[in-house]
Amino acid sequence: MLDVAIIGCGVVGAAAAYELSHYPLHTAIFEAENDVADCTTKANSAILHAGYDPEPGTRMARLNVEGVALAKEICARLDVPYRQCGSLVLALSPAELPHLQKLYENGLANGVPGIRLLSAEETRAMEPGLSPEVAGALYAPSAAIVSPWEYALAMAEVAVRNGVELHLSSPVTGIQKTASGWALTTPSGVVEARYVVNAAGIRADAVHDMAAPHQFTIQPTRGEYYLLDKSEGTRVQHVIFQCPNENGKGVLVAPTVHGNLIVGPNAEPVAGDDTACTAAGLAFVSAAARRSVPDIRFGESIRNFAGVRANVDTGDFVIGEADGAPGFIDLAGMKSPGLSSAPAVAKEVTKILAAHNDLPEPKTDYKDGRTRVRFKELPPEQKAELDAIAQNGRVFWSPNMSVGVNVLLELLPELVQMLGPDYDLEMVELHHNRKKDSPSGTALRLAESLASARDWDLKDVACYHREGIIGERPKKEIGVQAIRGGDVVGVHTVYFMGPGERIEVTHHAHSRENFAQGALRAASWLPGQPGGKVYAMGDILKSRLK
């Protein structure tokens, strides 16, 4: 029997698993989708809010401020992309200034650190690109931006390392009370647990209703976004909000931790997980955003997406044991600031277990911490350090373990050189509809190889979006386009287009097994090689030519 079964592995479920993994409890997560962070957590504004918006005295108010402080510590400990850039709530007319005063008073009551009101001149000094209509702003330095799916993934990864079980593609379809706890019906059979944590996002009300009388209703609410190219990534330095209303915090403009600009969302009630983008919704978002930042170049959009958040009719987070269902713990209604509050929400679970005298002493051998080496982000001196490490052994690095993709990486520069400057270079990549990044990392690596072959810097020549009357195509340009749909594992096509002819070079990945096979090939090849070097997949391929 499990001690705790967690239903759902978005950021709240992952945070609960991470928190519980610090204790010698038999804990398991049951996630309906085929990956963690696959619903609301992967499609949101990626903002850690300071905590001035919730009404004082609510769970949202307390847990937002606690959670954003904990998130800063967790992101540092687990090597999650995070930047404390602060936020500005704009008054776009003198009539909105009283609302800023109310938010300021909320912030003081909620314990938001460093919050202060700014004049119009102070606001524009911090952000020169704002609308001339700005009459003042509320500044909150503790607000931050984060990579939300990496945040959830990191917490889930460390939880699993410390003994938590993760069951993907495992929707819970039935819940029954038993003498010793609860029985959950899953695709692999019935699982018993002493406690159940309901972190099922937009389906949390349905999961609750399997175990207890109806208590709350979730209204899924879709928000649509623009993600703009890195050429727009420095348009603003802070998260820019408008005065919030009954539909949420309004349309924001913010940098992302990856150097892009994100703009959105609107708020549209929908049925279920409807993440379709609409012309009307995106038109609303762009028009609303220009009220704050007039000069945004939406022609630099590289991706539109939508996420569905779990608005709830209670007006506050639903946290605690359900009425008449001891041991069944709701973590529901996690609309904004759910991402900000997640680690504090997770601690509410351990408080409930402690109240039942069911929380043991923390583990003494807990394996915390996580480090991700992002080779392409390393400065030259750190790449040199990797070479130094290799002097005492062998290091293998590859941005993609597919043998076929690495053959392509070897061939493309030669084709560029053979064909000469008269051939235009374009790339199209196609992936499944659940892929989180765009363009793919492989597409960017292939584009970098094309640019390098012409002594170009990709960031200066890449074109990720074309729209409207754009005129003649510049010769010094590489188009990189992304298509999403179905269950496509991965297709990358490079076009060489010259006078009277076109050459297409395509790699199709039919299964993810090819990445594993490439890694195994590298692992078996590496021990026979001389020490003192950093090797790449190209070295393996060239060795077969000798």
Side-chain angles (χ1 to χ4, degrees):
M1 173 181 281
L2 296 172
D3 291 310
V4 185
I6 301 170
I7 302 175
C9 198
V11 70
V12 172
Y18 178 64
E19 176 68 17
L20 290 167
S21 71
H22 287 75
Y23 301 90
L25 296 165
H26 188 187
T27 302
I29 310 168
F30 297 89
E31 166 56 50
E33 304 298 333
N34 65 1
D35 201 355
V36 305
D38 204 40
C39 293
T40 303
T41 300
K42 77 173 182 182
N44 58 73
S45 304
I47 307 299
L48 296 174
H49 297 281
Y52 48 75
D53 190 40
E55 282 298 314
T58 61
R59 292 190 185 98
M60 284 183 179
R62 175 172 60 86
L63 298 174
N64 185 162
V65 177
E66 291 178 13
V68 76
L70 289 169
K72 182 176 182 177
E73 298 172 6
I74 293 171
C75 288
R77 192 159 58 242
L78 304 189
D79 195 10
V80 175
Y82 166 100
R83 178 154 62 92
Q84 187 175 323
C85 59
S87 66
L88 293 167
V89 185
L90 306 182
L92 292 170
S93 71
E96 291 184 338
L97 290 173
H99 197 101
L100 291 189
Q101 180 67 34
K102 175 64 167 63
L103 294 177
Y104 174 68
E105 292 169 2
N106 279 5
L108 293 179
N110 294 344
V112 178
I115 194 168
R116 60 192 178 98
L117 292 167
L118 304 179
S119 67
E121 293 73 20
E122 289 173 314
T123 305
R124 279 193 288 272
M126 292 177 68
E127 289 286 0
L130 296 179
S131 165
E133 302 301 317
V134 169
L138 177 67
Y139 174 51
S142 61
I145 54 178
V146 71
S147 177
W149 54 90
E150 291 181 75
Y151 181 32
L153 177 62
M155 290 190 288
E157 181 182 316
V158 175
V160 169
R161 184 201 303 161
N162 286 279
V164 173
E165 299 173 14
L166 174 60
H167 302 274
L168 300 174
S169 301
S170 295
V172 172
T173 55
I175 303 175
Q176 295 292 327
K177 188 75 179 77
T178 67
S180 54
W182 299 90
L184 310 183
T185 302
T186 74
S188 57
V190 175
V191 177
E192 294 194 5
R194 295 194 301 125
Y195 290 90
V196 175
V197 174
N198 173 17
I202 63 171
R203 298 178 180 86
D205 53 352
V207 170
H208 169 97
D209 292 352
M210 295 181 197
H214 184 77
Q215 182 182 341
F216 58 90
T217 299
I218 299 292
Q219 172 56 69
T221 303
R222 179 177 63 204
E224 299 169 60
Y225 292 87
Y226 282 89
L227 184 66
L228 276 63
D229 182 65
K230 292 180 180 179
S231 61
E232 285 291 289
T234 57
R235 176 70 60 183
V236 295
Q237 302 300 317
H238 305 80
V239 180
I240 307 298
F241 292 109
Q242 298 166 358
C243 280
N245 55 42
E246 66 277 4
N247 293 318
K249 296 177 174 62
V251 172
L252 62 85
V253 180
T256 74
V257 292
H258 299 109
N260 301 87
L261 190 76
I262 190 169
V263 181
N266 60 341
E268 184 72 24
V270 292
D273 191 21
D274 181 355
T275 56
C277 288
T278 66
L282 293 172
F284 170 83
V285 167
S286 60
R290 284 193 171 109
R291 291 186 62 228
S292 302
V293 187
D295 295 333
I296 297 174
R297 295 183 298 162
F298 283 95
E300 295 299 302
S301 174
I302 61 172
R303 181 78 167 161
N304 294 118
F305 70 92
V308 178
R309 50 197 184 270
N311 281 346
V312 65
D313 60 357
T314 62
D316 198 0
F317 294 154
V318 180
I319 298 174
E321 290 181 278
D323 292 341
F328 184 91
I329 303 168
D330 285 311
L331 305 180
M334 293 293 146
K335 63 175 185 177
S336 180
L339 175 65
S340 311
S341 306
V345 170
K347 288 186 177 294
E348 297 296 292
V349 177
T350 53
K351 290 178 184 177
I352 292 171
L353 267 60
H356 286 287
N357 293 317
D358 271 339
L359 187 68
E361 291 297 314
K363 295 175 181 175
T364 57
D365 60 346
Y366 191 75
K367 304 176 185 67
D368 207 354
R370 172 180 177 271
T371 302
R372 305 291 290 175
V373 177
R374 302 171 180 90
F375 189 82
K376 70 177 182 179
E377 298 176 8
L378 294 179
E381 59 271 18
Q382 290 189 13
K383 290 181 180 178
E385 287 179 19
L386 191 59
D387 286 330
I389 293 170
Q391 299 308 309
N392 298 316
R394 306 167 189 84
V395 174
F396 183 87
W397 174 83
S398 178
N400 187 305
M401 286 294 179
S402 162
V403 172
V405 165
N406 280 278
V407 169
L408 205 56
L409 284 168
E410 294 293 324
L411 292 178
L412 288 180
E414 294 189 32
L415 286 172
V416 171
Q417 295 297 325
M418 289 179 188
L419 294 170
D422 292 333
Y423 282 71
D424 296 323
L425 308 176
E426 295 280 326
M427 164 172 289
V428 176
E429 57 100 338
L430 170 61
H431 283 87
H432 52 89
N433 56 22
R434 293 179 180 272
K435 186 167 179 62
K436 299 180 176 75
D437 59 323
S438 174
S440 70
T442 298
L444 291 174
R445 181 67 189 90
L446 293 169
E448 286 170 356
S449 72
L450 294 172
S452 178
R454 285 191 173 171
D455 294 324
W456 296 345
D457 189 326
L458 182 63
K459 72 176 185 293
D460 296 329
V461 300
C463 176
Y464 299 104
H465 181 82
R466 297 185 178 102
E467 182 180 21
I469 300 173
I470 60 172
E472 183 177 346
R473 181 192 189 278
K475 293 300 294 182
K476 194 173 181 179
E477 181 174 276
I478 298 176
V480 184
Q481 310 301 320
I483 301 173
R484 296 290 178 264
D487 59 357
V488 178
V489 174
V491 179
H492 294 85
T493 300
V494 179
Y495 297 87
F496 298 83
M497 293 176 283
E501 63 180 0
R502 180 178 76 249
I503 299 172
E504 300 177 14
V505 183
T506 300
H507 175 267
H508 291 262
H510 302 295
S511 150
R512 291 176 179 82
E513 183 180 347
N514 66 319
F515 305 114
Q517 291 294 336
L520 291 172
R521 185 170 177 176
S524 63
W525 176 85
L526 192 60
Q529 307 311 309
K533 182 179 177 182
V534 178
Y535 290 96
M537 189 66 80
D539 296 305
I540 300 178
L541 299 174
K542 292 171 184 174
S543 71
R544 298 181 63 85
L545 300 176
K546 296 178 181 178

